[in-house]
Amino acid sequence: MITLSPELQQRLASPLKIGNFEVNSRVLQSPLSGVTDLVFRRLVRRYAPASMMYTEMVNATGLHYVKQLPKIMEVDPSERPISIQLFDCRPDFLAEAAQKAVDEGADTVDINMGCPVNKITKNGGGSSLLRQPDLAAEIVRSVVQAVNVPVTVKTRIGWSDQEINAVEFARRMEDAGAQMLTLHGRTRAQGYNGPARWEWIGKVKSALSIPVIANGDIFSVEAAVRCLEETGADGVMCSRGTLGYPFLVGEVDHFLKTGELRRPPNPVERMQCARDHLEMLWEYKGDRGIRQARKHMTWYAKGFPDAAVLRGKLAVIENLEQGLELLDWAIARLSEYDWSDLPGAAPELVEV
């Protein structure tokens, strides 16, 4: 049985304050490249209307040279609270990009200093900034001076086991003007392998006065509560746990606010959500949306009879009709099962 300690309940009772901006949820949806577009954020927000959402990360250099803003910066005016995440190693380009982000409606601007992907780090962005704390601090100062919304940083505990500098780096970011820090409990060398080392999140939290958000291995309500208890963090950010499962942020948020577990969606409900996702991607992006939907559909198709067969077919869909036919077949098959023994209350859907 999952329970909240009285200390945790008291600590999380008030809104999350990011500078002069308040968020009425301690659970955030992580920025995920190729995932957290407008469509995905709308699905997450169905079940977590008060949570902070993040766009996919935006290349500040690329933004400098284009005349038209990229689609990944598109923000629905009604989808607040929303943050636009930027990456680069050029303080002036990042300051310029931050101004554009605010013009697009960003409530906060997040700077990515944690992405481990080679194509990002080899150009000086992402987690490579962990090795350049002076430059990282200059970036934060430049962006803070350029915009009138809070500036936040997302990073990792270090470059490698031999170069863990989370506490010192985090202090530099706070001193430079960052008003919240999200810490992924792995090094860049780890990528996403091995367990997240939450103990470093606790050390950073003890060293800072700004909010610290815990990230890494938040795949369930139980994991989120355990992480918050162990680290003393001000909130959690869900990442890979939401792939094919946009219900997770809302499940964690609901439990932290009420102490009650929502019933997880049964396979029929998950496939119905996948169907919505596919249709929305088609309406928003056309054929490109169908191609992007393939990975999403395979993430949904897990944990029920014949899921592997369905995944194989969904991974190669060519058009909307083909995808809907497969999903409708799966929904009809799964509706023959009795899923009523799942514990807890049903997911609460909020129209956005």
Side-chain angles (χ1 to χ4, degrees):
M1 182 177 177
I2 310 170
T3 58
L4 289 173
S5 68
E7 295 78 14
L8 184 59
Q9 282 182 309
Q10 184 177 4
R11 184 156 51 84
L12 302 181
S14 60
L16 175 64
K17 292 186 178 181
I18 310 171
N20 58 4
F21 187 72
E22 285 192 355
V23 182
N24 290 317
S25 172
R26 299 292 183 128
V27 191
L28 297 74
Q29 169 61 57
S30 173
L32 293 167
S33 183
V35 175
T36 53
D37 58 14
L38 184 64
V39 169
F40 185 81
R41 297 195 305 270
R42 282 175 174 167
L43 288 172
V44 174
R45 202 175 288 284
R46 281 183 176 182
Y47 307 97
S51 292
M52 175 75 86
M53 304 290 155
Y54 288 77
T55 65
E56 303 169 71
M57 62 180 184
V58 180
N59 184 338
T61 294
L63 193 61
H64 175 79
Y65 290 109
V66 299
K67 293 181 179 180
Q68 185 175 1
L69 293 178
K71 195 88 167 173
I72 56 176
M73 283 190 76
E74 185 172 1
V75 170
D76 188 323
S78 67
E79 65 164 332
R80 301 184 69 179
I82 183 72
S83 181
I84 292 180
Q85 189 186 64
L86 307 172
F87 77 94
D88 211 302
C89 62
R90 299 165 179 82
D92 54 342
F93 282 13
L94 277 160
E96 177 190 357
Q99 292 171 338
K100 294 179 180 178
V102 173
D103 290 342
E104 284 296 292
D107 294 309
T108 71
V109 173
D110 190 64
I111 305 172
N112 184 303
M113 298 187 183
C115 180
V117 178
N118 284 334
K119 69 178 182 180
I120 305 297
T121 59
K122 72 180 182 181
N123 292 318
S127 55
S128 67
L129 288 166
L130 285 160
R131 290 178 139 180
Q132 305 175 79
D134 289 341
L135 176 58
E138 183 183 352
I139 286 171
V140 172
R141 284 193 295 269
S142 296
V143 176
V144 168
Q145 292 171 5
V147 297
N148 60 355
V149 301
V151 175
T152 64
V153 170
K154 187 174 188 293
T155 188
R156 288 181 171 237
I157 63 174
W159 180 261
S160 66
D161 284 350
Q162 294 71 41
E163 299 179 67
I164 294 180
N165 60 338
V167 175
E168 299 85 354
F169 188 85
R171 282 177 173 152
R172 293 287 300 272
M173 299 307 99
E174 179 177 21
D175 291 343
Q179 293 183 296
M180 186 178 80
L181 185 130
T182 301
L183 188 61
H184 184 136
R186 291 183 175 89
T187 64
R188 186 267 177 181
Q190 276 184 274
Y192 297 96
N193 298 317
R197 288 179 268 186
W198 292 344
E199 66 272 17
W200 282 102
I201 300 174
K203 292 176 183 179
V204 168
K205 171 58 188 171
S206 297
L208 301 189
S209 60
I210 59 174
V212 173
I213 304 299
N215 180 229
D217 290 351
I218 310 297
F219 289 100
S220 65
V221 174
E222 181 181 12
V225 172
R226 186 161 46 86
C227 179
L228 288 166
E229 297 278 14
E230 291 180 13
T231 65
D234 300 284
V236 292
M237 179 178 281
C238 301
S239 298
R240 292 176 296 151
T242 62
L243 299 180
Y245 199 80
F247 313 90
L248 180 61
V249 175
E251 288 178 354
V252 177
D253 185 51
H254 181 76
F255 184 80
L256 294 182
K257 288 175 176 174
T258 68
E260 300 173 353
L261 280 171
R262 283 181 178 171
R263 173 181 63 78
N266 63 44
V268 174
E269 292 163 337
R270 296 205 313 268
M271 289 298 97
Q272 289 169 337
C273 185
R275 196 183 194 283
D276 288 346
H277 201 160
L278 177 62
E279 285 191 303
M280 291 162 69
L281 277 172
W282 162 250
E283 292 170 1
Y284 186 49
K285 299 180 180 178
D287 289 336
R288 186 166 63 92
I290 298 300
R291 292 191 295 272
Q292 292 181 356
R294 294 168 183 164
K295 62 186 177 187
H296 289 283
M297 297 302 103
T298 60
W299 291 330
Y300 280 102
K302 293 179 180 178
F304 53 80
D306 298 325
V309 175
L310 180 62
R311 280 198 303 275
K313 294 179 178 179
L314 288 169
V316 294
I317 58 173
E318 295 291 341
N319 52 57
L320 176 65
E321 292 72 21
Q322 189 179 3
L324 292 180
E325 183 179 353
L326 286 168
L327 291 170
D328 287 341
W329 171 83
I331 290 169
R333 285 284 306 275
L334 293 169
S335 295
E336 297 173 2
Y337 292 83
D338 181 10
W339 306 106
S340 60
D341 60 346
L342 290 175
E348 178 187 355
L349 186 147
V350 179
E351 291 298 338
V352 178

